[in-house]
Amino acid sequence: MNHPPVSLQIEITTGTRTVLLDQTQQMLPLTEVLRHIGLPLNTRCGQRGKCDGCLIDLLRGKLIHLVDGEIINAGNPLLSVRACEYRVTDPQNSPPELRICVPARSLLAYEPQVLKDYRISVPFSIFPLWQQIPVQRQEPDEHSATADGAAHYLKQSLGLRSTPIVTPAALQQWKQNRGVSKVWAVLQYQPSGWSITAFEQEPVRQPLGAAIDIGTTTVVALLVDLSTGQVLAQAANFNGQINLADDVVTRISLCGQDPTMIARMHEAVCEDTIVPLLRETLEIARVPADTSLQAVAVAGNTTMQHLFAGADPSGLGTVPFTPKFLEYLHLNGPRVFTVAKNGSAPAQAVHLLPSPAAYVGADLAAGILASGLIYDDGPSLLIDIGTNGEIIFKKQDLLLGCATAAGPAFEGAGLACGMRAGDGAIAYVHLKTDPLQIQTRRIGENGYAAGLCGSAYVDFLAEARRTGLIDTMGRFDLQAVPDAQAHIIAWRPRRSSVEDRAMVLAYGQAKRPIVVAEADIAVLLSSKAAIAAGIMILMKRAEVTPAQIKRVYLAGGFGTYMIAANAIACGLLPGFTPEQIVPVGNTSLAGAYLSLVDASAMDEIRRLARCVQTLELNLDPEFETTYIDQLALPEVRPT
Ligand code: FES
C-alpha cells in the first residue's frame, strides 16, 4: 500500500521551509531527509547517537525512534532530539502538521577537510564561543521587553540548553539603551553556560578569534573570522620558553627552584611568542595590528597550559603529579596579556581547553575529537609525536592515555641542521647505493634548502639502516656502502669542543652543508625509543597487539610529510603496517579551532577529557627495559 506524502515544516534562522516526504523519505533518519533538501546537519559521530551535533527541536507533531519504535510528541517544555535517531511517523499516525526547528548550531558548516598542516576529520557547525545576536526590543509585555525576556528569547532562538545569564554590566547597558528598538546581545561561552556580557547598539563588523596550539617547542596560531569560521591567516614560531629550557621537565623544575621563573615562562610564551604571532596573522589578514580579538581558544600539554595561565607547574614535576587545574578555564584577556596604553589587550577572552591528566594534556583531548578517534570504536591509537610524545588507546568506550618524554628532536630542535616542517625544510630523504646517491626533496619551490625536518630524519634513519650505512646502534658503517666516505665530513657541534662525523645530505645557501651528525642520530634514537616504548607498554596494558589495531592516527606537524613505511622501518611505530597509519597533522591546533568555532565541540572535549584513564609510564616496571631495547635500530632483513 502506498503511503500519502507527509508534510514537514522546517524552521531555520532564515525562515521556514515546507517539504513533502514520499514513502521512501518517510523511512529515513531526519538527518538524511535534511541532507537531501540541502540542510545537512553536524553529524559528527557518523549518525551513531554519540554526539549532540544533530539536535533539533520538535515544535509540532510526532516522531518515531528508528530503533525501538517509541513515538514522541511535541509539547511543553520544548523537546530536543537527535535527528539521526528519529524519522517521521506514518501518515495515519501523523497530525496534519509536523514542524521542527533546526538551530544554527546544528547546521553543518564544513565537511571534514585537509588544510595546510592540520586536518579536521569530523564535521562541525559554526556556533562560536563568542557571538552577537540582534534582539528587537518590543513594547512592554512582549518577550524581549526586559533583559531577562531577551535572554529567554535567545535561549529559544539559538536552541541553548539553559537561559544565558545576563551580567550586571549587560543589564546596565540594557537600561541605558531604553528607547533603542534593536540591540546586539553579546554572548560568551563560560564554564557554567552562556552569558550575555553586553547589549550593544552596533555590531562588531568583523568579529575575530584565534586558535592556538602551544607546543613545548613550537606555537601555531590561526586567525579566524568568527562569523564565518574562515581561517584568515596562520603563523608559527618556536616557543620562546626554549630559550629558558628545552623540555617540559626542566621548565617545571626551574619553576620549582625559583618561583620568579613562572612569570618569566608566562611572559616568554604570551608576550614573546603568542602576541607577535597574533600580530603577524593580523598583518597577513590586513587587519589593524591593535585589534583586540573577541575569543582565543588554546590547547597545549598540561604544563604549557599552566605556564600560559601563569600557574605554578611544579606539582607536575614529582609523584603524584598534581596539577593546579585540569578543567576548562575561561580567562579574561587582560589578565593573561599585557594591556596596551589604549586599554585594550590582544584578546578579550581566552578559553583554555581541558586536560585529561597531568601528562595527557588538552592538546591530546583536542586531538581525540579532531582526528575522529572519539567516534572510532577501535581498537585504535592516536599518537602525537611532539616533545612530549602522547598516546591514546581507544576501544569502544575505553580511552587509555600516557605520555613519554620524547624530546624535541622530531620537531627539529637540538640537531645540527634541524628545523620545523616549513618552506625550505628537506622533508624526504632517499638513499641509493652502488655508488651512494642521496636524493632529497624539500618543502616549497623557491630558495635553498635550509635544514631538515622530522620526516627527513625518519627517512634517514630507515634508509641508512636499510642500506647498512648505519649499524643498529646508529654509528656510521662506512665500509658497508661504497663511496659513503665521500659524503662524510668532520663536524663540530655547537657548544662542543669534540669533533663528530656527519653525513652531508645536501647543500644550502652559500654552499652550507646540510648534515646528519652521529650525535644527531643518538638523540633521534633516544626520542624514537621513548615513543616506541610508550606505544608498546600502552598496548600491553590494553592487551592488544599491533596487528589488532585498526587505525593509528598519527598527529604532529611532521606526520603530514612522513612516509609511514619508514617510521615503521626505523622502529618509531613498532610492528605496524603502512595501511594502519592515518596521518592527521596538528590535531591540537585542529581541536582548538573546532572548539573556537563550534561550542558543541568544546562541550564534547570537556566531556571526553573526563573519560580518559591514564597510565604513568615512569611508574611502570617494564617501561625502562622496553625503552632500552628500543634504543637500537631494527635488524635489516636479508632481501
Ligand atoms: S550525529 Fe546524531 S548524535 Fe551524532
Side-chain angles (χ1 to χ4, degrees):
M1 189 183 85
N2 272 349
H3 287 169
V6 169
S7 163
L8 173 66
Q9 294 177 3
I10 307 152
E11 280 185 19
I12 47 176
T13 45
T14 50
T16 303
R17 286 176 63 175
T18 303
V19 285
L20 286 179
L21 307 181
D22 62 24
Q23 194 173 346
T24 314
Q25 291 169 319
Q26 290 165 27
M27 304 313 289
L28 295 175
L30 278 172
T31 38
E32 290 305 319
V33 171
L34 293 168
R35 179 184 291 276
H36 288 163
I37 61 164
L39 291 174
L41 300 191
N42 179 2
T43 52
R44 206 166 42 215
C45 69
Q47 305 193 56
R48 285 186 288 170
K50 290 187 171 185
C51 70
D52 281 340
C54 65
L55 282 183
I56 55 156
D57 298 328
L58 178 57
L59 303 178
R60 240 175 269 157
K62 303 174 184 189
L63 293 174
I64 182 164
H65 197 276
L66 284 158
V67 179
D68 61 24
E70 187 200 0
I71 293 181
I72 54 163
N73 288 288
N76 203 355
L78 199 63
L79 199 57
S80 285
V81 294
R82 293 173 176 148
C84 67
E85 293 183 331
Y86 286 88
R87 66 173 176 84
V88 302
T89 53
D90 304 331
Q92 56 268 36
N93 276 324
S94 291
E97 230 185 330
L98 176 61
R99 193 176 178 95
I100 61 171
C101 170
V102 179
R105 68 183 167 79
S106 295
L107 279 174
L108 181 71
Y110 295 114
E111 290 287 356
Q113 52 188 291
V114 182
L115 297 153
K116 197 172 158 209
D117 51 10
Y118 62 99
R119 175 201 290 247
I120 294 171
S121 304
V122 291
F124 59 98
S125 306
I126 298 299
F127 197 74
L129 302 178
W130 183 100
Q131 302 190 34
Q132 50 186 358
I133 311 289
V135 176
Q136 299 290 347
R137 295 188 64 161
Q138 309 287 336
E139 292 303 314
D141 303 330
E142 293 294 326
H143 65 269
S144 57
T146 63
D148 284 346
H152 190 68
Y153 159 74
L154 290 169
K155 173 185 182 276
Q156 299 280 18
S157 63
L158 298 177
L160 305 179
R161 286 212 181 91
S162 58
T163 308
I165 291 164
V166 182
T167 61
L171 189 57
Q172 188 66 24
Q173 271 180 310
W174 179 270
K175 288 176 184 161
Q176 283 164 0
N177 288 328
R178 207 182 301 272
V180 178
S181 61
K182 181 179 176 184
V183 289
W184 295 80
V186 173
L187 281 131
Q188 289 210 42
Y189 184 93
Q190 306 250 344
S192 53
W194 290 87
S195 290
I196 300 173
T197 55
F199 285 107
E200 303 286 2
Q201 289 191 20
E202 293 294 332
V204 176
R205 223 160 33 88
Q206 189 184 30
L208 295 172
I212 298 177
D213 162 44
I214 306 180
T216 309
T217 307
T218 54
V219 178
V220 192
L222 301 178
L223 182 70
V224 180
D225 181 332
L226 290 178
S227 56
T228 61
Q230 193 190 351
V231 176
L232 303 174
Q234 175 169 355
N237 208 341
F238 282 115
N239 184 336
Q241 292 171 344
I242 51 177
N243 297 323
L244 301 165
D246 263 358
D247 59 85
V248 162
V249 177
T250 317
R251 286 179 212 174
I252 293 171
S253 86
L254 284 177
C255 292
Q257 289 157 18
D258 175 4
T260 64
M261 284 303 288
I262 301 167
R264 285 182 64 191
M265 294 276 184
H266 168 76
E267 204 178 308
V269 71
C270 287
E271 300 306 317
D272 303 347
T273 310
I274 293 175
V275 172
L277 282 179
L278 292 178
R279 277 206 206 103
E280 190 180 334
T281 59
L282 290 169
E283 195 181 326
I284 295 168
R286 298 173 192 276
V287 176
D290 58 354
T291 301
S292 181
L293 308 183
Q294 271 71 31
V296 171
V298 174
N301 64 49
T302 312
T303 307
M304 293 305 109
Q305 303 274 94
H306 273 58
L307 294 173
F308 174 82
D312 179 5
S314 50
L316 298 166
T318 46
V319 180
F321 309 117
T322 317
K324 283 271 188 240
F325 66 92
L326 288 174
E327 68 280 10
Y328 154 77
L329 290 187
H330 176 275
L331 306 172
N332 277 330
R335 183 186 158 298
V336 178
F337 298 106
T338 302
V339 178
K341 285 202 186 91
N342 66 5
S344 78
Q348 293 167 23
V350 176
H351 302 265
L352 221 48
L353 272 65
S355 304
Y359 278 97
V360 179
D363 49 352
L364 213 58
I368 294 171
L369 181 69
S371 66
L373 176 75
I374 189 65
Y375 306 124
D376 180 338
D377 283 338
S380 291
L381 289 169
L382 168 66
I383 304 173
D384 190 345
I385 301 180
T387 311
N388 222 23
E390 293 170 309
I391 310 155
I392 292 280
F393 170 81
K394 168 123 191 319
K395 186 177 177 191
Q396 281 149 6
D397 289 335
L398 173 69
L399 279 165
L400 195 57
C402 69
T404 171
F410 288 116
E411 294 186 326
L415 304 179
C417 294
M419 66 179 287
R420 283 182 293 121
D423 272 2
I426 292 176
Y428 302 92
V429 176
H430 177 63
L431 303 183
K432 281 186 169 177
T433 49
D434 272 340
L436 180 64
Q437 290 174 43
I438 301 170
Q439 298 173 338
T440 61
R441 243 185 302 148
R442 68 173 189 269
I443 302 169
E445 301 293 314
N446 306 315
Y448 297 91
L452 297 153
C453 68
S455 59
Y457 285 110
V458 169
D459 288 349
F460 179 80
L461 290 180
E463 291 278 289
R465 185 68 205 113
R466 176 182 63 77
T467 55
L469 184 64
I470 55 177
D471 63 20
T472 56
M473 300 317 293
R475 305 285 301 174
F476 287 123
D477 181 355
L478 301 178
Q479 310 309 319
V481 178
D483 280 352
Q485 183 66 53
H487 298 265
I488 295 288
I489 59 170
W491 182 261
R492 177 167 297 171
R494 256 174 289 159
R495 291 185 237 141
S496 169
S497 55
V498 184
E499 268 193 359
D500 191 10
R501 292 189 297 176
M503 172 154 281
V504 181
L505 300 192
Y507 289 92
Q509 195 166 16
K511 282 252 171 241
R512 184 177 78 89
I514 293 175
V515 303
V516 177
E518 252 175 3
D520 292 343
I521 299 174
V523 174
L524 288 163
L525 292 190
S526 163
S527 286
K528 164 198 99 84
I531 291 163
I535 296 169
M536 291 171 88
I537 296 288
L538 191 65
M539 285 198 299
K540 204 163 182 180
R541 299 296 164 254
E543 299 180 342
V544 288
T545 61
Q548 291 170 313
I549 295 288
K550 219 165 73 182
R551 285 185 204 94
V552 178
Y553 297 93
L554 188 63
F558 87 99
T560 316
Y561 300 101
M562 199 183 67
I563 296 171
N566 283 344
I568 295 163
C570 76
L572 178 65
L573 301 176
F576 297 105
T577 60
E579 293 70 36
Q580 290 169 290
I581 315 291
V582 185
V584 283
N586 185 344
T587 51
S588 171
L589 182 66
Y593 168 79
L594 270 181
S595 56
L596 175 74
V597 300
D598 183 352
S600 76
M602 181 67 98
D603 288 340
E604 190 81 338
I605 291 172
R606 290 173 70 184
R607 185 192 64 75
L608 69 87
R610 291 192 290 268
C611 300
V612 179
Q613 299 171 35
T614 51
L615 196 69
E616 298 293 355
L617 287 181
N618 41 4
L619 301 181
D620 193 292
E622 285 184 77
F623 179 73
E624 199 170 331
T625 47
T626 310
Y627 167 79
I628 292 167
D629 289 345
Q630 293 303 311
L631 277 172
L633 285 160
E635 290 290 348
V636 180
R637 287 199 206 110
T639 47

